[in-house]
mmCIF file of all heavy atoms in Angstrom:
data_model
loop_
_atom_site.group_PDB
_atom_site.id
_atom_site.type_symbol
_atom_site.label_atom_id
_atom_site.label_comp_id
_atom_site.label_asym_id
_atom_site.label_seq_id
_atom_site.Cartn_x
_atom_site.Cartn_y
_atom_site.Cartn_z
ATOM 1 N N HIS A 166 12.843 6.530 38.714
ATOM 2 C CA HIS A 166 11.790 6.595 39.724
ATOM 3 C C HIS A 166 10.488 7.110 39.120
ATOM 4 O O HIS A 166 9.394 6.580 39.400
ATOM 5 C CB HIS A 166 12.232 7.506 40.871
ATOM 6 C CG HIS A 166 11.167 7.721 41.918
ATOM 7 N ND1 HIS A 166 10.815 6.757 42.844
ATOM 8 C CD2 HIS A 166 10.368 8.807 42.164
ATOM 9 C CE1 HIS A 166 9.852 7.220 43.616
ATOM 10 N NE2 HIS A 166 9.561 8.459 43.232
ATOM 11 N N ALA A 167 10.581 8.139 38.295
ATOM 12 C CA ALA A 167 9.382 8.762 37.731
ATOM 13 C C ALA A 167 8.610 7.806 36.820
ATOM 14 O O ALA A 167 7.370 7.800 36.822
ATOM 15 C CB ALA A 167 9.768 10.014 36.958
ATOM 16 N N VAL A 168 9.323 6.979 36.057
ATOM 17 C CA VAL A 168 8.638 6.058 35.132
ATOM 18 C C VAL A 168 8.443 4.682 35.745
ATOM 19 O O VAL A 168 7.944 3.782 35.079
ATOM 20 C CB VAL A 168 9.417 5.933 33.803
ATOM 21 C CG1 VAL A 168 9.544 7.275 33.116
ATOM 22 C CG2 VAL A 168 10.787 5.290 34.012
ATOM 23 N N GLU A 169 8.842 4.519 37.018
ATOM 24 C CA GLU A 169 8.715 3.222 37.717
ATOM 25 C C GLU A 169 9.383 2.110 36.898
ATOM 26 O O GLU A 169 8.775 1.084 36.601
ATOM 27 C CB GLU A 169 7.248 2.886 37.944
ATOM 28 C CG GLU A 169 6.481 3.932 38.739
ATOM 29 C CD GLU A 169 5.006 3.600 38.857
ATOM 30 O OE1 GLU A 169 4.635 2.904 39.830
ATOM 31 O OE2 GLU A 169 4.251 4.010 37.963
ATOM 32 N N LEU A 170 10.651 2.318 36.581
ATOM 33 C CA LEU A 170 11.336 1.451 35.627
ATOM 34 C C LEU A 170 11.371 -0.023 36.024
ATOM 35 O O LEU A 170 11.065 -0.891 35.187
ATOM 36 C CB LEU A 170 12.761 1.978 35.383
ATOM 37 C CG LEU A 170 13.523 1.342 34.230
ATOM 38 C CD1 LEU A 170 12.738 1.443 32.924
ATOM 39 C CD2 LEU A 170 14.885 1.995 34.070
ATOM 40 N N PRO A 171 11.723 -0.389 37.249
ATOM 41 C CA PRO A 171 11.746 -1.819 37.591
ATOM 42 C C PRO A 171 10.384 -2.487 37.408
ATOM 43 O O PRO A 171 10.287 -3.595 36.862
ATOM 44 C CB PRO A 171 12.199 -1.832 39.055
ATOM 45 C CG PRO A 171 12.952 -0.555 39.236
ATOM 46 C CD PRO A 171 12.237 0.440 38.369
ATOM 47 N N ARG A 172 9.319 -1.821 37.869
ATOM 48 C CA ARG A 172 7.977 -2.387 37.738
ATOM 49 C C ARG A 172 7.566 -2.467 36.275
ATOM 50 O O ARG A 172 6.940 -3.439 35.831
ATOM 51 C CB ARG A 172 6.971 -1.545 38.529
ATOM 52 C CG ARG A 172 5.570 -2.159 38.568
ATOM 53 C CD ARG A 172 4.737 -1.491 39.648
ATOM 54 N NE ARG A 172 4.326 -0.153 39.267
ATOM 55 C CZ ARG A 172 3.208 0.101 38.572
ATOM 56 N NH1 ARG A 172 2.441 -0.900 38.172
ATOM 57 N NH2 ARG A 172 2.862 1.331 38.293
ATOM 58 N N LEU A 173 7.932 -1.438 35.512
ATOM 59 C CA LEU A 173 7.625 -1.403 34.081
ATOM 60 C C LEU A 173 8.286 -2.563 33.354
ATOM 61 O O LEU A 173 7.650 -3.268 32.559
ATOM 62 C CB LEU A 173 8.085 -0.066 33.495
ATOM 63 C CG LEU A 173 7.983 0.113 31.989
ATOM 64 C CD1 LEU A 173 6.536 0.027 31.522
ATOM 65 C CD2 LEU A 173 8.604 1.457 31.583
ATOM 66 N N GLN A 174 9.559 -2.798 33.644
ATOM 67 C CA GLN A 174 10.275 -3.878 32.972
ATOM 68 C C GLN A 174 9.703 -5.240 33.346
ATOM 69 O O GLN A 174 9.551 -6.115 32.491
ATOM 70 C CB GLN A 174 11.762 -3.829 33.298
ATOM 71 C CG GLN A 174 12.570 -4.912 32.573
ATOM 72 C CD GLN A 174 14.063 -4.697 32.684
ATOM 73 O OE1 GLN A 174 14.523 -3.595 32.975
ATOM 74 N NE2 GLN A 174 14.827 -5.735 32.429
ATOM 75 N N LYS A 175 9.381 -5.427 34.609
ATOM 76 C CA LYS A 175 8.813 -6.701 35.046
ATOM 77 C C LYS A 175 7.471 -6.966 34.363
ATOM 78 O O LYS A 175 7.184 -8.084 33.913
ATOM 79 C CB LYS A 175 8.636 -6.693 36.561
ATOM 80 C CG LYS A 175 8.037 -7.989 37.106
ATOM 81 C CD LYS A 175 7.783 -7.897 38.606
ATOM 82 C CE LYS A 175 7.110 -9.169 39.129
ATOM 83 N NZ LYS A 175 6.771 -9.078 40.571
ATOM 84 N N ALA A 176 6.653 -5.938 34.254
ATOM 85 C CA ALA A 176 5.338 -6.091 33.626
ATOM 86 C C ALA A 176 5.484 -6.492 32.160
ATOM 87 O O ALA A 176 4.773 -7.377 31.671
ATOM 88 C CB ALA A 176 4.546 -4.794 33.749
ATOM 89 N N VAL A 177 6.401 -5.851 31.465
ATOM 90 C CA VAL A 177 6.619 -6.167 30.052
ATOM 91 C C VAL A 177 7.178 -7.571 29.897
ATOM 92 O O VAL A 177 6.703 -8.363 29.067
ATOM 93 C CB VAL A 177 7.565 -5.128 29.411
ATOM 94 C CG1 VAL A 177 8.030 -5.601 28.041
ATOM 95 C CG2 VAL A 177 6.869 -3.775 29.313
ATOM 96 N N GLN A 178 8.196 -7.896 30.680
ATOM 97 C CA GLN A 178 8.861 -9.197 30.552
ATOM 98 C C GLN A 178 7.882 -10.346 30.806
ATOM 99 O O GLN A 178 7.798 -11.297 30.009
ATOM 100 C CB GLN A 178 10.024 -9.278 31.535
ATOM 101 C CG GLN A 178 10.800 -10.582 31.462
ATOM 102 C CD GLN A 178 12.046 -10.552 32.349
ATOM 103 O OE1 GLN A 178 12.296 -9.583 33.047
ATOM 104 N NE2 GLN A 178 12.812 -11.609 32.305
ATOM 105 N N LYS A 179 7.144 -10.287 31.894
ATOM 106 C CA LYS A 179 6.223 -11.366 32.242
ATOM 107 C C LYS A 179 5.080 -11.486 31.239
ATOM 108 O O LYS A 179 4.634 -12.592 30.904
ATOM 109 C CB LYS A 179 5.668 -11.145 33.647
ATOM 110 C CG LYS A 179 6.693 -11.275 34.759
ATOM 111 C CD LYS A 179 7.232 -12.706 34.840
ATOM 112 C CE LYS A 179 8.191 -12.869 36.005
ATOM 113 N NZ LYS A 179 8.760 -14.243 36.077
ATOM 114 N N THR A 180 4.617 -10.351 30.742
ATOM 115 C CA THR A 180 3.502 -10.374 29.798
ATOM 116 C C THR A 180 3.923 -10.938 28.446
ATOM 117 O O THR A 180 3.219 -11.769 27.861
ATOM 118 C CB THR A 180 2.914 -8.966 29.627
ATOM 119 O OG1 THR A 180 2.483 -8.484 30.904
ATOM 120 C CG2 THR A 180 1.739 -8.982 28.662
ATOM 121 N N LEU A 181 5.074 -10.509 27.939
ATOM 122 C CA LEU A 181 5.563 -11.060 26.670
ATOM 123 C C LEU A 181 5.783 -12.568 26.796
ATOM 124 O O LEU A 181 5.464 -13.330 25.871
ATOM 125 C CB LEU A 181 6.861 -10.364 26.259
ATOM 126 C CG LEU A 181 6.756 -8.904 25.796
ATOM 127 C CD1 LEU A 181 8.142 -8.358 25.488
ATOM 128 C CD2 LEU A 181 5.849 -8.764 24.580
ATOM 129 N N GLU A 182 6.313 -12.975 27.930
ATOM 130 C CA GLU A 182 6.559 -14.399 28.161
ATOM 131 C C GLU A 182 5.251 -15.191 28.182
ATOM 132 O O GLU A 182 5.135 -16.256 27.560
ATOM 133 C CB GLU A 182 7.309 -14.567 29.487
ATOM 134 C CG GLU A 182 7.679 -15.990 29.822
ATOM 135 C CD GLU A 182 8.417 -16.076 31.155
ATOM 136 O OE1 GLU A 182 9.333 -15.257 31.381
ATOM 137 O OE2 GLU A 182 8.061 -16.954 31.968
ATOM 138 N N THR A 183 4.253 -14.687 28.878
ATOM 139 C CA THR A 183 2.959 -15.370 28.968
ATOM 140 C C THR A 183 2.271 -15.453 27.607
ATOM 141 O O THR A 183 1.668 -16.477 27.266
ATOM 142 C CB THR A 183 2.034 -14.632 29.957
ATOM 143 O OG1 THR A 183 2.657 -14.596 31.241
ATOM 144 C CG2 THR A 183 0.686 -15.326 30.061
ATOM 145 N N LEU A 184 2.375 -14.387 26.824
ATOM 146 C CA LEU A 184 1.696 -14.334 25.528
ATOM 147 C C LEU A 184 2.510 -14.976 24.411
ATOM 148 O O LEU A 184 2.069 -14.995 23.263
ATOM 149 C CB LEU A 184 1.391 -12.876 25.160
ATOM 150 C CG LEU A 184 0.516 -12.093 26.144
ATOM 151 C CD1 LEU A 184 0.310 -10.665 25.659
ATOM 152 C CD2 LEU A 184 -0.821 -12.786 26.341
ATOM 153 N N ASN A 185 3.704 -15.498 24.762
ATOM 154 C CA ASN A 185 4.591 -16.109 23.766
ATOM 155 C C ASN A 185 4.914 -15.130 22.648
ATOM 156 O O ASN A 185 4.848 -15.458 21.458
ATOM 157 C CB ASN A 185 3.973 -17.384 23.189
ATOM 158 C CG ASN A 185 4.970 -18.205 22.375
ATOM 159 O OD1 ASN A 185 6.181 -18.140 22.606
ATOM 160 N ND2 ASN A 185 4.473 -18.946 21.397
ATOM 161 N N LEU A 186 5.266 -13.935 23.057
ATOM 162 C CA LEU A 186 5.585 -12.874 22.106
ATOM 163 C C LEU A 186 6.997 -12.343 22.369
ATOM 164 O O LEU A 186 7.537 -12.494 23.463
ATOM 165 C CB LEU A 186 4.599 -11.714 22.243
ATOM 166 C CG LEU A 186 3.139 -11.967 21.855
ATOM 167 C CD1 LEU A 186 2.293 -10.772 22.259
ATOM 168 C CD2 LEU A 186 3.011 -12.233 20.368
ATOM 169 N N SER A 187 7.559 -11.721 21.356
ATOM 170 C CA SER A 187 8.783 -10.942 21.522
ATOM 171 C C SER A 187 8.576 -9.617 20.804
ATOM 172 O O SER A 187 7.667 -9.481 19.983
ATOM 173 C CB SER A 187 10.003 -11.681 20.955
ATOM 174 O OG SER A 187 9.834 -11.922 19.573
ATOM 175 N N CYS A 188 9.402 -8.673 21.129
ATOM 176 C CA CYS A 188 9.309 -7.351 20.498
ATOM 177 C C CYS A 188 10.622 -7.049 19.788
ATOM 178 O O CYS A 188 11.699 -7.172 20.386
ATOM 179 C CB CYS A 188 9.001 -6.284 21.546
ATOM 180 S SG CYS A 188 8.748 -4.643 20.824
ATOM 181 N N VAL A 189 10.534 -6.676 18.533
ATOM 182 C CA VAL A 189 11.715 -6.361 17.727
ATOM 183 C C VAL A 189 11.688 -4.888 17.353
ATOM 184 O O VAL A 189 10.695 -4.397 16.804
ATOM 185 C CB VAL A 189 11.770 -7.230 16.451
ATOM 186 C CG1 VAL A 189 12.933 -6.799 15.558
ATOM 187 C CG2 VAL A 189 11.890 -8.710 16.810
ATOM 188 N N TYR A 190 12.782 -4.195 17.684
ATOM 189 C CA TYR A 190 12.966 -2.806 17.279
ATOM 190 C C TYR A 190 14.050 -2.741 16.201
ATOM 191 O O TYR A 190 15.148 -3.272 16.391
ATOM 192 C CB TYR A 190 13.415 -1.944 18.461
ATOM 193 C CG TYR A 190 12.336 -1.576 19.439
ATOM 194 C CD1 TYR A 190 12.123 -2.318 20.590
ATOM 195 C CD2 TYR A 190 11.534 -0.458 19.215
ATOM 196 C CE1 TYR A 190 11.137 -1.970 21.502
ATOM 197 C CE2 TYR A 190 10.546 -0.098 20.121
ATOM 198 C CZ TYR A 190 10.353 -0.859 21.260
ATOM 199 O OH TYR A 190 9.375 -0.505 22.155
ATOM 200 N N LEU A 191 13.743 -2.090 15.094
ATOM 201 C CA LEU A 191 14.731 -1.846 14.045
ATOM 202 C C LEU A 191 14.919 -0.339 13.916
ATOM 203 O O LEU A 191 13.951 0.400 13.687
ATOM 204 C CB LEU A 191 14.260 -2.429 12.704
ATOM 205 C CG LEU A 191 13.926 -3.923 12.680
ATOM 206 C CD1 LEU A 191 13.465 -4.332 11.285
ATOM 207 C CD2 LEU A 191 15.118 -4.762 13.106
ATOM 208 N N PHE A 192 16.160 0.115 14.089
ATOM 209 C CA PHE A 192 16.483 1.545 14.017
ATOM 210 C C PHE A 192 17.304 1.827 12.766
ATOM 211 O O PHE A 192 18.348 1.205 12.544
ATOM 212 C CB PHE A 192 17.305 1.978 15.237
ATOM 213 C CG PHE A 192 16.537 2.073 16.516
ATOM 214 C CD1 PHE A 192 16.340 0.948 17.316
ATOM 215 C CD2 PHE A 192 16.020 3.282 16.951
ATOM 216 C CE1 PHE A 192 15.638 1.023 18.508
ATOM 217 C CE2 PHE A 192 15.317 3.373 18.150
ATOM 218 C CZ PHE A 192 15.125 2.245 18.930
ATOM 219 N N ASP A 193 16.842 2.757 11.960
ATOM 220 C CA ASP A 193 17.605 3.208 10.805
ATOM 221 C C ASP A 193 17.612 4.733 10.798
ATOM 222 O O ASP A 193 16.813 5.373 11.491
ATOM 223 C CB ASP A 193 16.984 2.679 9.506
ATOM 224 C CG ASP A 193 17.872 2.897 8.290
ATOM 225 O OD1 ASP A 193 19.116 2.857 8.455
ATOM 226 O OD2 ASP A 193 17.343 3.114 7.187
ATOM 227 N N GLY A 194 18.527 5.320 10.040
ATOM 228 C CA GLY A 194 18.586 6.773 9.937
ATOM 229 C C GLY A 194 19.072 7.442 11.193
ATOM 230 O O GLY A 194 18.735 8.604 11.468
ATOM 231 N N LEU A 195 19.876 6.735 11.983
ATOM 232 C CA LEU A 195 20.376 7.327 13.229
ATOM 233 C C LEU A 195 21.437 8.394 12.991
ATOM 234 O O LEU A 195 21.934 8.994 13.938
ATOM 235 C CB LEU A 195 20.933 6.225 14.141
ATOM 236 C CG LEU A 195 19.882 5.279 14.735
ATOM 237 C CD1 LEU A 195 20.545 4.109 15.456
ATOM 238 C CD2 LEU A 195 18.946 6.017 15.672
ATOM 239 N N ASP A 196 21.785 8.617 11.732
ATOM 240 C CA ASP A 196 22.709 9.706 11.410
ATOM 241 C C ASP A 196 21.977 11.029 11.201
ATOM 242 O O ASP A 196 22.615 12.054 10.945
ATOM 243 C CB ASP A 196 23.520 9.361 10.154
ATOM 244 C CG ASP A 196 22.629 9.008 8.969
ATOM 245 O OD1 ASP A 196 21.493 8.566 9.200
ATOM 246 O OD2 ASP A 196 23.079 9.154 7.823
ATOM 247 N N GLU A 197 20.637 11.016 11.306
ATOM 248 C CA GLU A 197 19.882 12.271 11.186
ATOM 249 C C GLU A 197 20.272 13.215 12.324
ATOM 250 O O GLU A 197 20.178 12.868 13.494
ATOM 251 C CB GLU A 197 18.373 11.996 11.227
ATOM 252 C CG GLU A 197 17.831 11.260 10.023
ATOM 253 C CD GLU A 197 17.906 12.078 8.758
ATOM 254 O OE1 GLU A 197 18.015 13.326 8.851
ATOM 255 O OE2 GLU A 197 17.868 11.492 7.666
ATOM 256 N N GLY A 198 20.700 14.407 11.948
ATOM 257 C CA GLY A 198 21.097 15.395 12.942
ATOM 258 C C GLY A 198 22.410 15.093 13.636
ATOM 259 O O GLY A 198 22.761 15.735 14.623
ATOM 260 N N TRP A 199 23.144 14.118 13.116
ATOM 261 C CA TRP A 199 24.384 13.689 13.771
ATOM 262 C C TRP A 199 25.513 14.697 13.571
ATOM 263 O O TRP A 199 25.742 15.201 12.472
ATOM 264 C CB TRP A 199 24.822 12.341 13.215
ATOM 265 C CG TRP A 199 26.219 11.952 13.623
ATOM 266 C CD1 TRP A 199 27.381 12.203 12.947
ATOM 267 C CD2 TRP A 199 26.606 11.257 14.814
ATOM 268 N NE1 TRP A 199 28.454 11.697 13.636
ATOM 269 C CE2 TRP A 199 28.022 11.124 14.784
ATOM 270 C CE3 TRP A 199 25.899 10.733 15.892
ATOM 271 C CZ2 TRP A 199 28.713 10.471 15.798
ATOM 272 C CZ3 TRP A 199 26.604 10.095 16.894
ATOM 273 C CH2 TRP A 199 27.988 9.973 16.838
ATOM 274 N N ILE A 200 26.214 14.996 14.647
ATOM 275 C CA ILE A 200 27.491 15.704 14.582
ATOM 276 C C ILE A 200 28.436 14.981 15.533
ATOM 277 O O ILE A 200 27.998 14.363 16.503
ATOM 278 C CB ILE A 200 27.364 17.197 14.977
ATOM 279 C CG1 ILE A 200 26.825 17.331 16.408
ATOM 280 C CG2 ILE A 200 26.520 17.965 13.999
ATOM 281 C CD1 ILE A 200 26.850 18.749 16.925
ATOM 282 N N PRO A 201 29.740 15.021 15.263
ATOM 283 C CA PRO A 201 30.687 14.276 16.117
ATOM 284 C C PRO A 201 30.929 14.973 17.450
ATOM 285 O O PRO A 201 31.990 15.538 17.695
ATOM 286 C CB PRO A 201 31.953 14.232 15.261
ATOM 287 C CG PRO A 201 31.874 15.445 14.405
ATOM 288 C CD PRO A 201 30.402 15.649 14.106
ATOM 289 N N SER A 202 29.932 14.928 18.329
ATOM 290 C CA SER A 202 30.050 15.563 19.644
ATOM 291 C C SER A 202 29.862 14.509 20.733
ATOM 292 O O SER A 202 29.350 13.418 20.483
ATOM 293 C CB SER A 202 28.984 16.655 19.802
ATOM 294 O OG SER A 202 27.691 16.078 19.840
ATOM 295 N N ILE A 203 30.268 14.860 21.947
ATOM 296 C CA ILE A 203 30.099 13.959 23.084
ATOM 297 C C ILE A 203 28.634 13.595 23.268
ATOM 298 O O ILE A 203 28.278 12.443 23.536
ATOM 299 C CB ILE A 203 30.655 14.612 24.367
ATOM 300 C CG1 ILE A 203 32.189 14.653 24.321
ATOM 301 C CG2 ILE A 203 30.185 13.855 25.603
ATOM 302 C CD1 ILE A 203 32.837 13.285 24.341
ATOM 303 N N GLU A 204 27.752 14.601 23.105
ATOM 304 C CA GLU A 204 26.327 14.357 23.325
ATOM 305 C C GLU A 204 25.759 13.389 22.289
ATOM 306 O O GLU A 204 24.972 12.495 22.624
ATOM 307 C CB GLU A 204 25.557 15.684 23.291
ATOM 308 C CG GLU A 204 25.857 16.615 24.441
ATOM 309 C CD GLU A 204 27.190 17.360 24.286
ATOM 310 O OE1 GLU A 204 27.706 17.415 23.140
ATOM 311 O OE2 GLU A 204 27.706 17.857 25.300
#
C-alpha cells in the first residue's frame, strides 16, 4: 500500500512496452553476509 505497488507495476510494464525496452537485473555476490538462517 505504501509504495502503491499495483500502480507502480502497471506504470513500469506499460512504459517499457511502449518504449520497446526491457530491464535486465544481474545479481552476484549474494553470499555476502550469508549465514544458514531462516532469515
Side-chain angles (χ1 to χ4, degrees):
H166 176 74
V168 300
E169 302 176 90
L170 191 55
R172 186 165 74 88
L173 174 62
Q174 182 169 340
K175 180 184 177 184
V177 168
Q178 181 174 3
K179 293 295 184 182
T180 302
L181 289 178
E182 182 180 314
T183 301
L184 301 179
N185 192 27
L186 293 171
S187 60
C188 184
V189 175
Y190 283 95
L191 303 179
F192 287 85
D193 191 33
L195 290 172
D196 55 335
E197 292 293 340
W199 168 268
I200 59 172
S202 67
I203 288 295
E204 292 78 18

